[in-house]
Amino acid sequence: MSGVGSILKNSKFSQQWADMSHEEDGINNNEHDENQHSLPSPDEMPAARPKGKTGPVTWGDLPAWMRSRDKRLMYLLGLSAVTCLILWIVVIASAVSNGRDSKRREAERPGAPYKCPGEVERAQNDISDYYDPYRANAKIFRENPTRLYEYATEEYDGFGPNSFTQLKAQLYKWKQKHFCEHLKSGDRMYESAMGTGLNLFMTLDILFSACDIDNIHVEGNDYVFDSIRNAEYLYKNVIPGTAKSTQFCGADSLHLEHIPRGSFDLVYTGYMDPIVDAMHLYTSEGSDVRSRIDKLKSYCDSSDKAEDVLTRLDQNAQEKYHSDFVKQMIRIAKPGAPIIIEFVSYPACSLSDWGGVDISFWIEGASKYGWDVDEGTVDIFQLSLNGQRRYNVMLMKNPSSTA
């Protein structure tokens, strides 16, 4: 016998194990006689281990149920069943979690398909009668869609007496330079706050006629749902085949989270509405948009310090609103893609316009607001609309962007 076997044979552990085995055999013999399988009576069971007893563990120290082989077997089977159930639950939960993570990663993948948001929260500018002209204009075409065939001479998307043809002539060189330079046939283009989609169509028309670029996938959003319905009708019935594909959503331009980041070759807006009453100072009944704008502008040349502070706070809020709008455009643009904003309004106190931002806002955007853009790419184009000075701006998303 080996040295280890000799040690075990002569050890106290070996003797204790033998004693416990003899006791278990005695108990099992009592449990299973020829005619019954009943448990031994309490008098026949060894006494439980007294509290505080020290020394080697014996079979009699175990609880009564553990001294029955059948009950031990049932206990182990039950424990195994519970363990299997727990493992099954963990496996199923893990599979569900992995499935959800996979769907989330797919939804966040640049260029992945997306669904329009089911519900749209109330926009900051949805106060008083602000959207009434947009809704009224959309309703005209909604109730009489054949008028969309007259888009070339109709008043253009709320731009006063200007028609589609007039606006196209004014924007032709700008779009030819900045859209043609950064797009090729088959690319994806997005317009935020697209209205009825006429600016998109104008852009597609210029891309094809000036640069021979076609088969563009066009997508966009607008807060006025009737405008989106009109856009869908326009592209399906009035100008079919103009775009390779379309997807238009009713959505607030400050909340484009339903669109995966880095999805588009060019992102633009034909007009960014300034925020009205950014500080929510004039909320009394009957305080329409025009009166709110006039009230703010009356403070512009005021010598009252309180009114001067209000105009500054309002302008700060105006700039934050513009920044939040632009951040959403930057997020959905591909790295190195252009972000274009047309017909930008100047601040309310600088010109006769009703609210906007200065040109310096765009030059300082990356450092001041954390935009993921190349500040050196900012390009400004001055223009006039109905006697009011406006401007277009283009900037490029950082080519090395990972967002």
Side-chain angles (χ1 to χ4, degrees), residues 147-155 162-166 198:
R147 287 188 60 174
L148 283 169
Y149 289 90
E150 303 169 13
Y151 64 85
T153 55
E154 284 280 356
E155 180 179 316
N162 299 279
S163 67
F164 175 91
T165 303
Q166 291 171 321
L198 287 172

Side-chain angles (χ1 to χ4, degrees), residues 259-279:
I259 302 175
R261 59 183 175 80
S263 294
F264 296 95
D265 300 286
L266 185 149
V267 180
Y268 85 105
T269 180
Y271 181 62
M272 183 188 301
D273 288 88
I275 190 72
V276 176
D277 189 13
M279 297 299 295

Side-chain angles (χ1 to χ4, degrees), residues 123 184 282:
K184 64 183 183 299
Y282 320 111

Side-chain angles (χ1 to χ4, degrees), residues 58-233:
T58 65
W59 193 257
D61 294 331
L62 299 175
W65 65 271
M66 291 186 68
R67 285 175 272 162
S68 166
R69 180 172 295 174
D70 289 346
K71 288 197 173 183
R72 287 201 309 275
L73 181 60
M74 292 299 293
Y75 169 77
L76 292 174
L77 289 174
L79 183 61
S80 299
V82 171
T83 303
C84 290
L85 178 62
I86 293 173
L87 289 174
W88 181 80
I89 292 173
V90 169
V91 169
I92 295 298
S94 178
V96 171
S97 178
N98 290 338
R100 288 175 178 173
D101 289 344
S102 177
K103 288 182 179 180
R104 177 180 55 78
R105 286 193 296 269
E106 171 62 20
E108 293 175 352
R109 178 177 60 82
Y114 62 89
K115 295 182 180 180
C116 295
E119 295 183 2
V120 178
E121 294 184 6
R122 186 168 183 171
Q124 284 185 250
N125 254 355
D126 196 357
I127 56 174
S128 186
D129 58 345
Y130 181 82
Y131 281 104
D132 286 359
Y134 292 106
R135 291 188 174 109
N137 187 58
K139 185 178 180 181
I140 290 173
F141 293 110
R142 182 72 174 158
E143 294 179 345
N144 187 12
T146 56
R147 287 188 60 174
L148 283 169
Y149 289 90
E150 303 169 13
Y151 64 85
T153 55
E154 284 280 356
E155 180 179 316
Y156 173 77
D157 266 355
F159 278 83
N162 299 279
S163 67
F164 175 91
T165 303
Q166 291 171 321
L167 265 295
K168 180 181 176 181
Q170 193 167 10
L171 292 171
Y172 194 93
K173 289 184 178 180
W174 164 263
K175 287 185 179 289
Q176 182 181 13
K177 176 183 178 181
H178 291 293
F179 287 73
C180 288
E181 181 180 349
H182 297 103
L183 288 173
K184 64 183 183 299
S185 295
D187 278 352
R188 294 179 73 187
M189 178 170 61
Y190 190 93
E191 184 182 9
S192 183
M194 61 179 287
T196 57
L198 287 172
N199 194 304
L200 265 177
F201 170 56
M202 177 194 300
T203 305
L204 292 171
D205 191 27
I206 294 173
L207 283 171
F208 181 71
S209 61
C211 317
D212 198 28
I213 296 174
D214 60 359
N215 289 323
I216 298 293
H217 301 266
V218 295
E219 298 165 49
N221 73 279
D222 198 84
Y223 182 69
V224 179
F225 277 66
D226 273 348
S227 292
I228 292 298
R229 296 186 185 100
N230 289 339
E232 291 170 345
Y233 183 92

Side-chain angles (χ1 to χ4, degrees), residues 16-62:
Q16 291 166 3
W17 179 258
D19 293 343
M20 290 178 67
S21 298
H22 289 317
E23 290 181 31
E24 180 181 9
D25 290 340
I27 292 172
N28 290 332
N29 289 335
N30 290 333
E31 286 178 346
H32 299 282
D33 58 20
E34 295 180 355
N35 301 316
Q36 62 179 7
H37 298 280
S38 61
L39 292 174
S41 67
D43 294 337
E44 295 174 324
M45 295 293 290
R49 181 183 180 90
K51 185 176 181 181
K53 178 182 176 181
T54 59
V57 177
T58 65
W59 193 257
D61 294 331
L62 299 175

Side-chain angles (χ1 to χ4, degrees), residues 258-390:
H258 58 284
I259 302 175
R261 59 183 175 80
S263 294
F264 296 95
D265 300 286
L266 185 149
V267 180
Y268 85 105
T269 180
Y271 181 62
M272 183 188 301
D273 288 88
I275 190 72
V276 176
D277 189 13
M279 297 299 295
H280 306 289
L281 301 175
Y282 320 111
T283 57
S284 60
E285 290 295 327
S287 183
D288 60 19
V289 170
R290 185 72 258 172
S291 64
R292 295 183 191 215
I293 295 171
D294 291 343
K295 185 68 173 178
L296 175 64
K297 291 180 71 69
S298 70
Y299 293 159
C300 291
D301 299 321
S302 175
S303 58
D304 185 89
K305 289 185 178 180
E307 293 178 350
D308 180 62
V309 169
L310 284 177
T311 57
R312 293 184 186 181
L313 290 174
D314 186 271
Q315 185 58 36
N316 289 341
Q318 189 75 256
E319 291 179 2
K320 182 182 183 305
Y321 168 82
H322 277 67
S323 176
D324 291 344
F325 194 115
V326 173
K327 280 182 178 179
Q328 289 293 316
M329 297 175 66
I330 295 171
R331 189 186 68 81
I332 65 175
K334 292 180 179 179
I339 292 91
I340 297 173
I341 302 93
E342 298 177 337
F343 289 108
V344 183
S345 303
Y346 283 92
C349 290
S350 62
L351 290 172
S352 60
D353 214 332
W354 57 284
V357 294
D358 193 72
I359 290 174
S360 60
F361 167 82
W362 305 100
I363 299 173
E364 301 168 354
S367 57
K368 188 174 181 179
Y369 301 102
W371 297 347
D372 190 10
V373 298
D374 181 354
E375 287 182 321
T377 61
V378 176
D379 189 16
I380 305 294
F381 177 74
Q382 301 278 358
L383 47 78
S384 177
L385 179 68
N386 302 330
Q388 291 181 325
R389 286 178 56 195
R390 298 280 176 90

